[in-house]
Amino acid sequence: MKRPTASSGRTQVTARPESATPATGTGTARTGSAETAGPAGPPEPARTYWLEHAWLTDGRPHVEPGVAVDVTGGRIAAVRTQVTTPPPGATVLRGLTLPGLANAHSHAFHRALRSTVQVGSGTFWTWREIMYGIAAKLTPDSYFALARAVYAEMALAGITSVGEFHYLHHAPGGTPYDQPNAMGEALIAAAAEAGIRITLLDTAYLSSGIARRRGGEPPERHQLRFSDGDATAWAERASALASAVKDGDQALIGAAVHSVRAVPAEQLATVAAWAGEHGAPLHVHLSEQTAENEACLAVHGVTPTRLLADHGVLGPRTTGVHNTHLTDEDIALLGTAATGTCMCPTTERDLADGIGPAGRLQRAGSPLSLGSDSHAVIDLFEETRAMELNERLRSRRRGHWTAATLLHAATAGGHAALGRPDAGRIGPGALADLVTIALDSVRTAGTLPRLGAETAVFAASAADVRHTVVGGRHVVRDGAHALIPDVPAALDRSIAALRG
């Protein structure tokens, strides 16, 4: 596939984004990852990183001083402890190094809403109307520019893999682009250029609400570009996207049911079957709002969780996002099926959604992961902290999870939810994805290195990230992005373009 150089100082992508003209329903493929061998290009040569302090999880999770990590072909070949000084030629990472963070739930275009949606009051439903306004303006070109900057912001925050819950498929009005996956391919290319991995969760979004009629309520005007018409057409387009992606280390294609509001009950099984046939992760917004529960009960006589269970959606490859307003039976169903739970505390509190029963879900057997969702902030340390602190406010008791358990949700738990069980740990055979936080910032100074997990969860922020390594490649070095020199300017330009 020919890869001409894109304009505006970008690295090479599969096709010039300027060729996409959604007003007429056209769009050119730009997979970005189809010809790359890693998150930001060819595999890095073998190298050694020396970690001043490392959080190791093989065996009992603990902080180990003086660790050498040998990397070959983008994976960890060996981990050597008790290495008190950096070996000759090693790259030194001073501070506390953790496995790369996984952002298991993202809507990249919501980043353009930051501050704008903080004006005045309202609910999730009033917030949604503002969100639709931004969604209506995006093209493959502008979405690439925005997502590239957002994913670079994630890299600066120590995130090495993102789960992009993607439903902005077509041109405004619902006309498919000439290349039907132009928008999804723009996101894949954006992640590659920002140097992080992506699991593109291609989302079925077919109706505007639950109805007794087959097919649900028809999409509203702003939702037309989200819909493929029916689940069979969605599956055909998703299959074409999956077959176009050649580099599984950089990009994976998963599936998503937007919600029981947006996928009629009789079509849920089609989405679940596609995920099963492709061995792909399957995500779903679940019981984020009480209104969703009430509508489902009124039409189907069961909760959204029971409806998903009855149509084969639940299971160990499935992750419910939010899982906020659940019954005891719902919690048992999710736990028994080993269906995951992705909590997004900074968004859930920003939208006044409520506090989900994360502790009860985990005890029932639902693995936890974390996401920044609407990107009110992009800070996985804040997400881990907020999950614990939300439980403290609700129960008036401290210490629901250990710091190690919370970090597991932000690392291995998130990567597993995104179809990457080989990430999220510093150990032989794992993907060489690392994040180093400073232990001498105004937030972390004076803490004990052996309590690094507690420091990371309860004191650190994204601003403390000094290094991010993805597949052995140094994407963020000393707090600066190595591939996108001025991330704030890239954010400013791409967001300003959508306000015009």
Side-chain angles (χ1 to χ4, degrees):
M1 185 179 294
K2 187 177 180 181
R3 302 173 65 218
T5 301
S7 62
S8 304
R10 300 177 195 155
T11 57
Q12 291 185 333
V13 295
T14 357
R16 292 179 63 85
E18 290 77 14
S19 63
T21 53
T24 58
T26 63
T28 301
R30 18 188 283 119
T31 56
S33 65
E35 296 185 11
T36 58
E44 285 287 283
R47 65 172 57 186
T48 296
Y49 286 94
W50 182 78
L51 319 181
E52 184 180 28
H53 301 281
W55 186 63
L56 303 182
T57 56
D58 287 352
R60 180 183 60 82
H62 67 287
V63 174
E64 181 80 22
V67 175
V69 175
D70 300 323
V71 176
T72 303
R75 291 182 178 269
I76 296 174
V79 176
R80 294 174 283 135
T81 58
Q82 299 181 356
V83 182
T84 56
T85 59
T91 301
V92 175
L93 304 182
R94 294 205 179 273
L96 172 68
T97 298
L98 311 165
L101 305 178
N103 188 350
H105 189 66
S106 163
H107 300 288
F109 75 93
H110 290 188
R111 175 62 178 82
L113 301 171
R114 191 181 293 180
S115 78
T116 303
V117 291
Q118 309 306 330
V119 178
S121 60
T123 66
F124 167 86
W125 306 102
T126 54
W127 168 89
R128 190 175 72 156
E129 293 305 311
I130 302 172
M131 179 269 288
Y132 284 158
I134 292 292
K137 297 179 180 179
L138 287 161
T139 67
D141 300 338
S142 61
Y143 205 5
F144 167 79
L146 175 61
R148 177 177 179 265
V150 174
Y151 296 151
E153 181 182 357
M154 290 185 193
L156 289 169
I159 293 163
T160 59
S161 189
V162 60
E164 184 61 40
F165 200 100
H166 169 57
Y167 52 83
L168 247 173
H169 302 306
H170 307 297
T175 302
Y177 293 102
D178 286 347
Q179 169 46 258
N181 284 302
M183 293 292 269
E185 291 172 344
L187 291 167
I188 294 170
E193 292 206 11
I196 70 172
R197 307 180 196 277
I198 186 170
T199 297
L200 189 79
L201 298 159
D202 197 288
T203 303
Y205 193 130
L206 309 171
S207 64
S208 63
I210 301 170
R212 297 187 187 280
R213 71 179 85 173
R214 289 183 64 83
E217 295 290 349
E220 298 173 359
R221 176 173 59 91
H222 286 307
Q223 299 165 335
L224 289 171
R225 71 182 308 188
F226 307 162
S227 177
D228 291 293
D230 60 32
T232 300
W234 166 84
E236 291 173 355
R237 184 184 49 71
S239 293
L241 180 60
S243 65
V245 174
K246 307 302 182 185
D247 178 16
D249 274 355
Q250 197 278 319
L252 297 175
I253 304 302
V257 169
H258 179 274
S259 58
V260 297
R261 290 182 286 110
V263 177
E266 70 274 8
Q267 299 188 52
L268 290 169
T270 300
V271 183
W274 186 95
E277 291 163 6
H278 288 78
L282 173 62
H283 288 213
V284 54
H285 289 137
L286 179 56
S287 289
E288 182 178 5
Q289 298 294 321
T290 55
E292 175 183 296
N293 291 359
E294 292 162 0
C296 193
L297 285 164
V299 172
H300 299 295
V302 295
T303 66
T305 302
R306 170 53 74 180
L307 188 71
L308 294 175
D310 290 347
H311 290 273
V313 176
L314 302 187
R317 277 199 309 272
T318 301
T319 297
V321 181
H322 304 304
N323 293 0
T324 307
H325 303 285
L326 302 179
T327 66
D328 292 345
E329 181 190 15
D330 292 340
I331 293 170
L333 282 169
L334 292 167
T336 300
T339 297
T341 294
C342 179
M343 303 300 292
C344 305
T346 64
T347 291
E348 289 151 5
R349 71 191 185 195
D350 182 59
L351 299 182
D353 286 344
I355 300 173
R360 293 182 61 199
L361 282 160
Q362 185 182 44
R363 289 190 293 274
S366 178
L368 298 181
S369 57
L370 293 158
S372 62
D373 192 357
S374 69
H375 313 314
V377 296
I378 294 177
D379 188 338
L380 263 290
F381 299 110
E382 177 61 21
E383 304 294 346
T384 62
R385 180 160 51 244
M387 188 163 69
E388 167 65 26
L389 297 186
N390 282 351
E391 285 291 319
R392 293 184 184 187
L393 285 173
R394 175 163 51 191
S395 67
R396 293 178 290 174
R397 182 175 63 82
R398 302 175 74 236
H400 296 269
W401 292 280
T402 65
T405 300
L406 292 167
L407 281 180
H408 182 274
T411 56
H415 290 293
L418 298 180
R420 298 190 185 277
D422 52 351
R425 65 184 182 90
I426 301 175
L431 291 170
D433 296 357
L434 309 170
V435 55
T436 304
I437 61 171
L439 293 179
D440 56 359
S441 75
V442 293
R443 287 162 295 278
T444 61
T447 58
L448 298 172
R450 65 180 176 83
L451 298 178
E454 286 74 13
T455 299
V457 171
F458 294 106
S461 77
D464 295 309
V465 171
R466 293 295 176 265
H467 304 281
T468 303
V469 174
V470 185
R473 184 182 301 272
H474 217 146
V475 175
V476 173
R477 187 189 297 267
D478 295 321
H481 202 290
L483 306 174
I484 302 174
D486 192 341
V487 176
L491 286 163
D492 188 59
R493 285 192 303 269
S494 60
I495 293 171
L498 298 175
R499 291 176 179 159

